[in-house]
Structures are given as C-alpha cells and as structure tokens.
Amino acid sequence: MKNCVNDFNMDEIEARKMIKAVDEARNHYHMHYAGFLPNDQRFKEIMIDSSMFGTEGTADYLVDAVKRRFGLE
C-alpha cells in the first residue's frame, strides 16, 4: 500500500479505491476472454502455497511434478 501511496501521491483511501477498481477490471477482462474468474479453483491444475516450501522448494516440487506427469524421470 505504501508504494501506491508514495508513487501516485494519493492518500490510503484513494489507493484502496484504485486497487479495488483495477482488481475488478482485471476480473472483468479475464471473465470476458477466458469465461471464468482467475481465482476459480475449478480451473486450477495445481495450487501450491509457496510459503510452505520457499522459492527453491516450490521450484523443486514443480519440476518433480512435471517430470512425473510427462514420464521424464
């Protein structure tokens, strides 16, 4: 939030309104072209909470998943 407030010289209330408007526009765009919202879990093939594994652990997990899926081991 501080970056938005500092970069655009706006108060926190204005920044929150702008963020909400951008999020709504992004969702509308995605719905128009993809036919579903970006956070719709029915269209997620794999979801990983990267805070569980960290950056390197998450990357290793994904590499392993791709190798298993495509028989690359």
Side-chain angles (χ1 to χ4, degrees):
M1 183 63 61
K2 286 185 177 184
N3 288 339
C4 189
V5 172
N6 293 337
D7 292 347
F8 294 104
N9 295 320
M10 58 178 61
D11 62 38
E12 186 174 341
I13 293 170
E14 288 176 301
R16 288 185 185 282
K17 286 180 182 177
M18 184 184 82
I19 291 168
K20 183 177 179 185
V22 169
D23 288 346
E24 288 174 359
R26 184 180 300 112
N27 284 341
H28 179 75
Y29 178 90
H30 197 277
M31 179 62 87
H32 178 77
Y33 288 101
F36 59 92
L37 292 173
N39 62 349
D40 190 333
Q41 293 184 6
R42 294 175 299 161
F43 299 97
K44 303 291 184 187
E45 296 295 325
I46 189 168
M47 293 177 61
I48 301 171
D49 180 355
S50 60
S51 69
M52 290 178 61
F53 305 111
T55 304
E56 291 296 320
T58 300
D60 292 341
Y61 185 88
L62 289 169
V63 167
D64 185 53
V66 169
K67 285 181 177 179
R68 288 174 186 236
R69 169 64 177 91
F70 295 102
L72 301 173
E73 292 194 71

Coordinates of all heavy atoms in Angstrom, one line a residue:
M1 N 0.8 -1.2 0.0 CA 0.0 0.0 0.0 C 0.9 1.2 0.0 O 0.6 2.2 -0.7 CB -0.9 0.0 1.2 CG -1.9 1.1 1.3 SD -3.1 1.2 -0.1 CE -3.9 -0.3 0.1
K2 N 2.0 1.2 0.8 CA 2.8 2.4 0.8 C 3.4 2.8 -0.5 O 3.5 4.0 -0.8 CB 4.0 2.2 1.8 CG 3.5 2.2 3.3 CD 4.7 2.1 4.2 CE 4.2 2.3 5.6 NZ 5.3 2.3 6.6
N3 N 3.8 1.8 -1.4 CA 4.3 2.1 -2.7 C 3.3 2.9 -3.5 O 3.6 3.8 -4.2 CB 4.7 0.9 -3.4 CG 6.0 0.3 -2.8 OD1 6.8 1.0 -2.2 ND2 6.2 -1.0 -3.1
C4 N 2.0 2.4 -3.5 CA 1.0 3.0 -4.2 C 0.8 4.4 -3.7 O 0.6 5.4 -4.5 CB -0.3 2.2 -4.1 SG -1.6 2.8 -5.2
V5 N 0.7 4.6 -2.4 CA 0.5 5.9 -1.9 C 1.7 6.9 -2.2 O 1.5 8.0 -2.6 CB 0.4 5.8 -0.3 CG1 0.3 7.2 0.3 CG2 -0.9 5.1 0.0
N6 N 2.9 6.4 -2.1 CA 4.1 7.2 -2.4 C 4.2 7.5 -3.9 O 4.5 8.6 -4.3 CB 5.3 6.5 -1.9 CG 5.4 6.5 -0.4 OD1 4.7 7.2 0.3 ND2 6.1 5.5 0.1
D7 N 4.1 6.4 -4.7 CA 4.3 6.6 -6.2 C 3.3 7.4 -6.9 O 3.6 8.2 -7.8 CB 4.3 5.2 -6.9 CG 5.5 4.3 -6.5 OD1 6.5 4.9 -5.9 OD2 5.5 3.1 -6.8
F8 N 2.0 7.4 -6.4 CA 1.0 8.1 -7.0 C 0.5 9.3 -6.2 O -0.5 10.0 -6.6 CB -0.2 7.2 -7.3 CG 0.1 6.1 -8.3 CD1 0.3 4.8 -7.9 CD2 0.2 6.4 -9.7 CE1 0.6 3.8 -8.8 CE2 0.5 5.4 -10.6 CZ 0.7 4.1 -10.2
N9 N 1.2 9.6 -5.2 CA 0.9 10.8 -4.3 C -0.6 10.8 -4.0 O -1.3 11.8 -4.2 CB 1.3 12.1 -5.0 CG 2.8 12.2 -5.1 OD1 3.5 11.8 -4.2 ND2 3.2 12.7 -6.3
M10 N -1.1 9.7 -3.5 CA -2.5 9.7 -3.1 C -2.6 9.2 -1.6 O -1.7 8.5 -1.1 CB -3.3 8.8 -4.0 CG -2.9 7.4 -4.1 SD -3.8 6.3 -5.2 CE -3.7 7.1 -6.8
D11 N -3.8 9.5 -1.0 CA -3.9 9.0 0.4 C -4.4 7.6 0.3 O -4.7 7.0 -0.7 CB -4.9 9.9 1.2 CG -6.3 9.9 0.6 OD1 -6.8 8.8 0.1 OD2 -6.9 11.0 0.7
E12 N -4.4 6.9 1.5 CA -4.7 5.5 1.6 C -6.0 5.1 1.1 O -6.2 4.1 0.4 CB -4.5 5.0 3.0 CG -4.6 3.5 3.1 CD -4.3 3.0 4.5 OE1 -3.7 3.7 5.3 OE2 -4.8 1.8 4.8
I13 N -7.0 6.0 1.3 CA -8.4 5.7 0.9 C -8.5 5.7 -0.7 O -9.0 4.8 -1.3 CB -9.4 6.7 1.5 CG1 -9.5 6.5 3.0 CG2 -10.8 6.6 0.8 CD1 -10.2 7.6 3.7
E14 N -7.8 6.7 -1.3 CA -7.8 6.7 -2.8 C -7.0 5.5 -3.3 O -7.5 4.9 -4.3 CB -7.1 8.0 -3.2 CG -7.8 9.3 -3.0 CD -7.0 10.5 -3.5 OE1 -5.9 10.7 -2.9 OE2 -7.4 11.2 -4.4
A15 N -5.9 5.1 -2.7 CA -5.2 4.0 -3.1 C -6.0 2.7 -3.0 O -6.0 1.9 -4.0 CB -3.9 3.8 -2.3
R16 N -6.7 2.5 -2.0 CA -7.6 1.3 -1.8 C -8.7 1.3 -2.9 O -8.9 0.2 -3.5 CB -8.2 1.3 -0.4 CG -7.2 0.9 0.6 CD -7.9 0.7 2.0 NE -6.9 0.5 3.0 CZ -6.2 -0.6 3.3 NH1 -6.5 -1.7 2.5 NH2 -5.4 -0.7 4.2
K17 N -9.2 2.4 -3.2 CA -10.3 2.5 -4.3 C -9.7 2.2 -5.6 O -10.3 1.5 -6.4 CB -10.9 3.9 -4.3 CG -11.8 4.2 -3.2 CD -12.4 5.6 -3.3 CE -13.3 5.9 -2.1 NZ -13.8 7.3 -2.2
M18 N -8.5 2.7 -5.9 CA -7.8 2.4 -7.2 C -7.5 0.9 -7.3 O -7.7 0.3 -8.3 CB -6.5 3.2 -7.3 CG -5.9 3.0 -8.7 SD -4.3 3.9 -8.8 CE -3.2 2.7 -8.0
I19 N -7.0 0.3 -6.2 CA -6.6 -1.1 -6.2 C -7.9 -1.9 -6.5 O -7.9 -2.9 -7.3 CB -5.9 -1.5 -4.9 CG1 -4.5 -0.9 -4.9 CG2 -5.9 -3.0 -4.8 CD1 -3.9 -1.0 -3.5
K20 N -9.0 -1.6 -5.8 CA -10.2 -2.3 -6.0 C -10.7 -2.2 -7.4 O -11.2 -3.2 -8.1 CB -11.3 -1.8 -5.0 CG -12.6 -2.5 -5.1 CD -13.6 -2.0 -4.1 CE -14.9 -2.8 -4.3 NZ -16.0 -2.4 -3.4
A21 N -10.6 -1.0 -8.0 CA -11.1 -0.8 -9.4 C -10.2 -1.6 -10.4 O -10.7 -2.2 -11.3 CB -11.0 0.7 -9.7
V22 N -8.9 -1.6 -10.1 CA -8.0 -2.4 -11.0 C -8.3 -3.9 -10.9 O -8.4 -4.6 -11.9 CB -6.5 -2.1 -10.7 CG1 -5.6 -3.1 -11.4 CG2 -6.2 -0.7 -11.1
D23 N -8.5 -4.4 -9.7 CA -8.9 -5.8 -9.5 C -10.2 -6.1 -10.2 O -10.3 -7.2 -10.8 CB -9.0 -6.1 -8.0 CG -7.6 -6.2 -7.3 OD1 -6.6 -6.2 -8.0 OD2 -7.7 -6.2 -6.0
E24 N -11.2 -5.3 -10.1 CA -12.5 -5.5 -10.8 C -12.3 -5.5 -12.3 O -12.9 -6.4 -13.0 CB -13.5 -4.5 -10.3 CG -14.0 -4.7 -8.9 CD -14.9 -3.6 -8.4 OE1 -15.2 -2.6 -9.2 OE2 -15.3 -3.7 -7.2
A25 N -11.5 -4.6 -12.8 CA -11.3 -4.5 -14.2 C -10.5 -5.8 -14.7 O -10.9 -6.3 -15.8 CB -10.5 -3.3 -14.6
R26 N -9.6 -6.2 -13.9 CA -8.8 -7.5 -14.3 C -9.8 -8.7 -14.3 O -9.7 -9.5 -15.2 CB -7.7 -7.7 -13.3 CG -6.8 -8.9 -13.6 CD -5.7 -9.1 -12.6 NE -4.8 -7.9 -12.6 CZ -4.7 -7.1 -11.5 NH1 -5.4 -7.3 -10.4 NH2 -3.9 -6.1 -11.5
N27 N -10.6 -8.8 -13.3 CA -11.6 -9.9 -13.3 C -12.5 -9.8 -14.4 O -12.8 -10.9 -15.0 CB -12.3 -9.9 -11.9 CG -11.5 -10.4 -10.8 OD1 -10.5 -11.1 -11.0 ND2 -11.9 -10.1 -9.6
H28 N -13.0 -8.6 -14.8 CA -13.9 -8.5 -15.9 C -13.2 -8.9 -17.2 O -13.8 -9.6 -18.0 CB -14.4 -7.0 -16.0 CG -15.3 -6.8 -17.1 ND1 -16.7 -7.2 -17.1 CD2 -15.1 -6.2 -18.3 CE1 -17.2 -6.8 -18.3 NE2 -16.3 -6.2 -19.0
Y29 N -12.0 -8.5 -17.4 CA -11.2 -8.8 -18.6 C -11.1 -10.3 -18.7 O -11.3 -10.9 -19.7 CB -9.9 -8.1 -18.5 CG -8.9 -8.4 -19.7 CD1 -9.0 -7.7 -20.8 CD2 -8.1 -9.5 -19.6 CE1 -8.1 -7.9 -21.9 CE2 -7.2 -9.8 -20.7 CZ -7.2 -9.0 -21.8 OH -6.4 -9.3 -22.9
H30 N -10.7 -10.9 -17.6 CA -10.4 -12.4 -17.6 C -11.7 -13.1 -17.8 O -11.7 -14.1 -18.6 CB -9.8 -12.8 -16.2 CG -9.2 -14.1 -16.2 ND1 -9.9 -15.3 -16.1 CD2 -7.9 -14.5 -16.4 CE1 -9.1 -16.3 -16.2 NE2 -7.9 -15.9 -16.4
M31 N -12.8 -12.7 -17.2 CA -14.1 -13.3 -17.5 C -14.5 -13.2 -18.9 O -15.0 -14.2 -19.5 CB -15.2 -12.7 -16.6 CG -16.5 -13.3 -16.7 SD -16.7 -15.1 -16.4 CE -17.0 -15.0 -14.6
H32 N -14.3 -12.1 -19.5 CA -14.7 -11.8 -20.9 C -13.9 -12.8 -21.8 O -14.5 -13.4 -22.7 CB -14.4 -10.4 -21.3 CG -14.7 -10.1 -22.7 ND1 -16.0 -9.9 -23.2 CD2 -13.9 -9.9 -23.8 CE1 -16.0 -9.7 -24.5 NE2 -14.8 -9.7 -24.9
Y33 N -12.6 -12.9 -21.7 CA -11.8 -13.7 -22.6 C -11.6 -15.1 -22.2 O -11.5 -16.0 -23.1 CB -10.4 -13.0 -22.7 CG -10.5 -11.7 -23.5 CD1 -10.5 -10.5 -22.9 CD2 -10.6 -11.8 -24.9 CE1 -10.6 -9.3 -23.6 CE2 -10.8 -10.6 -25.7 CZ -10.7 -9.4 -25.0 OH -10.9 -8.2 -25.7
A34 N -11.7 -15.5 -20.9 CA -11.4 -16.9 -20.5 C -12.8 -17.5 -20.1 O -12.8 -18.8 -20.2 CB -10.5 -16.9 -19.4
G35 N -13.8 -16.8 -19.8 CA -15.0 -17.3 -19.4 C -15.1 -17.8 -17.9 O -16.1 -18.4 -17.5
F36 N -14.1 -17.4 -17.1 CA -14.1 -17.7 -15.7 C -13.2 -16.7 -15.0 O -12.4 -16.1 -15.6 CB -13.7 -19.1 -15.4 CG -12.3 -19.5 -15.9 CD1 -11.2 -19.4 -15.1 CD2 -12.2 -20.0 -17.2 CE1 -10.0 -19.7 -15.6 CE2 -10.9 -20.4 -17.7 CZ -9.8 -20.2 -16.8
L37 N -13.4 -16.6 -13.7 CA -12.6 -15.7 -12.9 C -11.2 -16.3 -12.6 O -11.1 -17.5 -12.5 CB -13.2 -15.3 -11.6 CG -14.5 -14.5 -11.7 CD1 -15.2 -14.3 -10.4 CD2 -14.2 -13.1 -12.3
P38 N -10.1 -15.5 -12.5 CA -8.8 -16.0 -12.3 C -8.6 -16.8 -11.1 O -7.8 -17.7 -11.0 CB -7.9 -14.8 -12.3 CG -8.7 -13.6 -12.4 CD -10.2 -14.0 -12.6
N39 N -9.4 -16.6 -10.0 CA -9.3 -17.3 -8.8 C -10.3 -18.5 -8.7 O -10.4 -19.1 -7.6 CB -9.5 -16.4 -7.6 CG -10.8 -15.8 -7.5 OD1 -11.6 -15.9 -8.5 ND2 -11.2 -15.2 -6.4
D40 N -10.9 -18.9 -9.8 CA -11.8 -20.0 -9.8 C -11.0 -21.3 -9.7 O -10.4 -21.7 -10.6 CB -12.7 -20.0 -11.1 CG -13.8 -21.0 -11.0 OD1 -13.7 -22.0 -10.3 OD2 -14.8 -20.7 -11.7
Q41 N -11.1 -22.0 -8.6 CA -10.3 -23.2 -8.3 C -10.7 -24.4 -9.2 O -9.9 -25.3 -9.4 CB -10.4 -23.6 -6.9 CG -9.8 -22.6 -6.0 CD -9.8 -23.0 -4.5 OE1 -10.2 -24.1 -4.2 NE2 -9.3 -22.1 -3.6
R42 N -11.8 -24.3 -9.9 CA -12.2 -25.4 -10.8 C -11.3 -25.5 -12.0 O -11.2 -26.5 -12.7 CB -13.6 -25.3 -11.3 CG -14.7 -25.4 -10.2 CD -16.0 -25.1 -10.7 NE -16.1 -23.7 -11.2 CZ -17.0 -23.3 -12.0 NH1 -18.0 -24.1 -12.4 NH2 -17.0 -22.0 -12.4
F43 N -10.6 -24.4 -12.3 CA -9.7 -24.3 -13.4 C -8.2 -24.3 -13.0 O -7.4 -23.9 -13.8 CB -10.1 -23.1 -14.3 CG -11.5 -23.2 -14.8 CD1 -12.5 -22.5 -14.1 CD2 -11.8 -23.9 -15.9 CE1 -13.8 -22.6 -14.5 CE2 -13.1 -24.0 -16.3 CZ -14.1 -23.3 -15.7
K44 N -7.9 -24.7 -11.8 CA -6.5 -24.7 -11.4 C -6.1 -26.2 -11.4 O -6.7 -27.1 -10.8 CB -6.4 -24.2 -10.0 CG -6.9 -22.8 -9.8 CD -6.0 -21.8 -10.4 CE -6.5 -20.4 -10.1 NZ -5.9 -19.4 -10.9
E45 N -5.0 -26.5 -12.2 CA -4.5 -27.8 -12.3 C -3.7 -28.1 -11.0 O -3.6 -29.3 -10.6 CB -3.6 -28.0 -13.5 CG -4.4 -27.8 -14.8 CD -5.5 -28.9 -15.0 OE1 -5.2 -30.0 -14.6 OE2 -6.5 -28.6 -15.5
I46 N -2.9 -27.2 -10.6 CA -2.1 -27.4 -9.4 C -2.0 -26.1 -8.6 O -1.9 -25.0 -9.2 CB -0.7 -27.9 -9.8 CG1 0.1 -28.3 -8.6 CG2 0.1 -26.9 -10.6 CD1 1.4 -29.1 -9.0
M47 N -2.1 -26.2 -7.3 CA -2.0 -25.0 -6.5 C -1.0 -25.3 -5.4 O -1.1 -26.4 -4.7 CB -3.4 -24.6 -5.9 CG -4.4 -24.1 -6.9 SD -6.0 -23.8 -6.3 CE -5.7 -22.5 -5.1
I48 N -0.1 -24.4 -5.2 CA 1.0 -24.6 -4.2 C 1.1 -23.4 -3.3 O 1.2 -22.3 -3.8 CB 2.3 -24.9 -4.8 CG1 2.2 -26.2 -5.7 CG2 3.4 -25.1 -3.8 CD1 3.5 -26.4 -6.6
D49 N 1.0 -23.6 -2.0 CA 1.3 -22.5 -1.1 C 2.8 -22.4 -1.0 O 3.4 -23.2 -0.2 CB 0.6 -22.8 0.3 CG 0.9 -21.6 1.3 OD1 1.6 -20.7 1.0 OD2 0.3 -21.7 2.4
S50 N 3.4 -21.5 -1.7 CA 4.9 -21.5 -1.7 C 5.5 -21.1 -0.4 O 6.7 -21.3 -0.2 CB 5.4 -20.5 -2.8 OG 4.9 -19.2 -2.5
S51 N 4.7 -20.6 0.5 CA 5.3 -20.3 1.8 C 5.6 -21.6 2.6 O 6.4 -21.5 3.5 CB 4.3 -19.4 2.7 OG 3.2 -20.1 3.0
M52 N 5.0 -22.7 2.2 CA 5.3 -23.9 2.8 C 6.7 -24.4 2.5 O 7.4 -25.1 3.3 CB 4.3 -25.0 2.4 CG 2.9 -24.8 3.0 SD 1.8 -26.0 2.4 CE 2.5 -27.5 3.1
F53 N 7.1 -24.2 1.2 CA 8.4 -24.8 0.7 C 9.5 -23.8 0.4 O 10.6 -24.1 0.2 CB 8.1 -25.6 -0.6 CG 7.1 -26.6 -0.5 CD1 5.9 -26.5 -1.1 CD2 7.3 -27.8 0.3 CE1 4.9 -27.5 -1.0 CE2 6.3 -28.7 0.4 CZ 5.1 -28.6 -0.2
G54 N 9.1 -22.5 0.4 CA 10.1 -21.5 -0.1 C 10.2 -21.5 -1.6 O 9.7 -22.4 -2.3
T55 N 11.0 -20.6 -2.1 CA 11.1 -20.5 -3.5 C 11.8 -21.7 -4.2 O 11.3 -22.3 -5.1 CB 11.9 -19.2 -3.9 OG1 11.3 -18.1 -3.3 CG2 12.0 -19.0 -5.4
E56 N 12.9 -22.1 -3.6 CA 13.6 -23.2 -4.2 C 12.8 -24.5 -4.0 O 12.8 -25.3 -4.9 CB 15.0 -23.4 -3.5 CG 16.0 -22.3 -3.9 CD 16.3 -22.3 -5.4 OE1 16.5 -23.4 -5.9 OE2 16.4 -21.2 -5.9
G57 N 12.3 -24.7 -2.8 CA 11.5 -25.9 -2.6 C 10.3 -26.0 -3.5 O 9.9 -27.1 -4.0
T58 N 9.6 -24.9 -3.7 CA 8.5 -24.9 -4.7 C 8.9 -25.2 -6.1 O 8.2 -26.0 -6.8 CB 7.8 -23.5 -4.6 OG1 7.3 -23.2 -3.3 CG2 6.6 -23.4 -5.5
A59 N 10.0 -24.6 -6.5 CA 10.5 -24.9 -7.8 C 10.9 -26.4 -8.0 O 10.5 -27.0 -9.0 CB 11.8 -24.1 -8.1
D60 N 11.5 -27.0 -6.9 CA 11.8 -28.4 -7.0 C 10.5 -29.2 -7.0 O 10.5 -30.2 -7.8 CB 12.6 -28.8 -5.7 CG 14.0 -28.2 -5.7 OD1 14.5 -27.8 -6.8 OD2 14.6 -28.2 -4.6
Y61 N 9.5 -28.8 -6.3 CA 8.2 -29.6 -6.3 C 7.6 -29.5 -7.7 O 7.1 -30.6 -8.2 CB 7.3 -28.9 -5.3 CG 6.0 -29.6 -5.1 CD1 5.9 -30.6 -4.1 CD2 4.9 -29.2 -5.8 CE1 4.7 -31.2 -3.9 CE2 3.7 -29.9 -5.6 CZ 3.6 -30.9 -4.7 OH 2.4 -31.5 -4.5
L62 N 7.6 -28.4 -8.3 CA 7.1 -28.3 -9.7 C 7.8 -29.1 -10.7 O 7.3 -29.7 -11.6 CB 7.0 -26.8 -10.1 CG 5.9 -26.0 -9.3 CD1 6.1 -24.5 -9.6 CD2 4.5 -26.4 -9.7
V63 N 9.2 -29.0 -10.6 CA 10.0 -29.8 -11.5 C 9.7 -31.3 -11.4 O 9.5 -32.0 -12.4 CB 11.5 -29.5 -11.3 CG1 12.4 -30.6 -12.0 CG2 11.9 -28.1 -11.7
D64 N 9.5 -31.8 -10.2 CA 9.2 -33.1 -9.9 C 7.8 -33.5 -10.5 O 7.6 -34.5 -11.1 CB 9.3 -33.4 -8.4 CG 9.1 -34.9 -8.1 OD1 9.8 -35.8 -8.7 OD2 8.2 -35.2 -7.3
A65 N 6.9 -32.6 -10.3 CA 5.5 -32.8 -10.8 C 5.5 -32.9 -12.3 O 4.8 -33.8 -12.9 CB 4.6 -31.7 -10.3
V66 N 6.2 -32.1 -13.0 CA 6.3 -32.1 -14.4 C 6.9 -33.3 -14.9 O 6.5 -34.0 -15.9 CB 7.0 -30.8 -15.0 CG1 7.2 -30.9 -16.5 CG2 6.1 -29.6 -14.7
K67 N 8.0 -33.7 -14.3 CA 8.7 -34.9 -14.7 C 7.8 -36.2 -14.5 O 7.8 -37.0 -15.4 CB 10.0 -35.1 -13.8 CG 11.1 -34.2 -14.2 CD 12.4 -34.5 -13.4 CE 13.5 -33.6 -13.8 NZ 14.7 -33.8 -12.9
R68 N 7.1 -36.2 -13.4 CA 6.2 -37.4 -13.2 C 5.1 -37.4 -14.2 O 4.7 -38.4 -14.8 CB 5.6 -37.3 -11.8 CG 6.6 -37.7 -10.7 CD 6.0 -37.5 -9.4 NE 7.0 -37.7 -8.3 CZ 6.8 -38.6 -7.3 NH1 5.7 -39.3 -7.2 NH2 7.7 -38.7 -6.4
R69 N 4.5 -36.2 -14.5 CA 3.4 -36.1 -15.4 C 3.7 -36.5 -16.8 O 3.0 -37.2 -17.5 CB 2.8 -34.6 -15.4 CG 1.8 -34.3 -16.5 CD 0.5 -35.1 -16.3 NE -0.4 -34.7 -17.3 CZ -0.6 -35.3 -18.5 NH1 0.2 -36.3 -18.8 NH2 -1.5 -34.9 -19.3
F70 N 4.9 -36.2 -17.2 CA 5.3 -36.5 -18.6 C 6.3 -37.6 -18.7 O 6.9 -37.8 -19.8 CB 5.9 -35.2 -19.3 CG 4.8 -34.1 -19.4 CD1 4.8 -33.1 -18.5 CD2 3.9 -34.2 -20.4 CE1 3.8 -32.1 -18.7 CE2 2.9 -33.2 -20.6 CZ 2.9 -32.2 -19.7
G71 N 6.5 -38.3 -17.6 CA 7.4 -39.5 -17.7 C 8.8 -39.2 -18.0 O 9.5 -39.9 -18.8
L72 N 9.4 -38.1 -17.5 CA 10.7 -37.7 -17.8 C 11.8 -38.1 -16.8 O 12.9 -37.6 -16.8 CB 10.7 -36.1 -17.9 CG 9.7 -35.5 -18.9 CD1 9.7 -34.0 -18.8 CD2 10.1 -36.0 -20.3
E73 N 11.4 -39.0 -15.9 CA 12.4 -39.5 -14.9 C 13.3 -40.6 -15.5 O 12.9 -41.4 -16.2 CB 11.7 -39.9 -13.6 CG 11.1 -38.6 -13.0 CD 10.7 -38.9 -11.6 OE1 11.6 -39.0 -10.7 OE2 9.5 -38.9 -11.3

